Structure formats: structure tokens, C-alpha cells
Amino acid sequence: EITALSLCVGERFLSVGVWEPLTLTGRVLVWNTYFDRMPSDLTRSYAFISRILSIQFAPQSSYLLTGTEAGIISSWRHGESSDVPYATRTSGWPVRLIQFSPNGNWLVGGDGEGHAKLWLST
């Protein structure tokens, strides 16, 4: 089941959040779409113990944000091979919406029910 997706136009990456109900695992899959065709080779895969509800690429950088049903926002350097997030933040509610500021210095997370939280993205 696809639960979230994001497209990084500048660097041409596609990211999809998937929920695997048989294993109760959330997964974020990242493909490089550089050659103007459908993505074929999986670039990265990140596993979670919660459903992925939101994904967002940072403007003009290689960071990827993920928001989960468990209320965790993680920052990933999607060009690196590490399975450990660069930074993790806890919101206290399911993160249905995440967004970087246009300059990439701030990020905001929201739950779609009136809760929002703002963080420095460093």
C-alpha cells in the first residue's frame, strides 16, 4: 500500500512510502529518475516500524524528510548508504504533513487536525 510520495525535481529523485501489512513494516523507497524515463533501479530503501505518512525532499540539497504514524520525523541524506537517520525529532502525534521552508533552514510538521510544530532543520 502506497502511503506517501515525493518528487525531487532538481536532482530527479522519486520517493515512495509503502506499508507492508504482512510484516507491519513501513518502507521508504528512493529511485533516481535522472535519465527522463521510468525509474528502474532502486537507489535506497529505509525500513521503519511505523507507517510512513509523509515524505519531503529538501530544496536544493540531498536531504529527505519522513514523517510516521508514530510521530517521528527523520532526516536522511538520501545520497549516502547509511540506514541511520541524520536527525530524528518527535512530534507527539502522527505526522501527516511535513515541509521544508524555501531556504531549507526550517521544517514544519502537522497532523491534519490542528497540531503543527516548527524546528530548525540543522
Side-chain angles (χ1 to χ4, degrees), residues 16-91:
V16 176
V18 178
W19 176 247
E20 299 172 353
L22 294 177
T23 60
L24 298 177
T25 304
R27 190 168 301 281
V28 173
L29 308 173
V30 181
W31 289 273
N32 187 335
T33 61
Y34 183 73
F35 298 108
D36 292 326
R37 57 182 161 77
M38 290 299 293
S40 57
D41 295 330
L42 185 65
T43 304
R44 290 291 305 133
S45 175
Y46 306 104
F48 296 82
I49 57 170
S50 181
R51 189 182 305 254
I52 304 301
L53 299 179
S54 50
I55 302 172
Q56 181 67 44
F57 285 98
Q60 305 170 350
S61 81
S62 61
Y63 288 97
L64 173 71
L65 284 180
T66 56
T68 70
E69 191 171 53
I72 307 238
I73 295 176
S74 299
S75 300
W76 306 86
R77 289 183 178 141
H78 66 85
E80 295 183 359
S81 61
S82 175
D83 289 330
V84 178
Y86 171 72
T88 302
R89 295 156 178 89
T90 305
S91 68

Side-chain angles (χ1 to χ4, degrees), residues 3 11 26 41 70 82 117:
T3 58
E11 294 187 32
D41 295 330
S82 175
K117 203 166 188 179

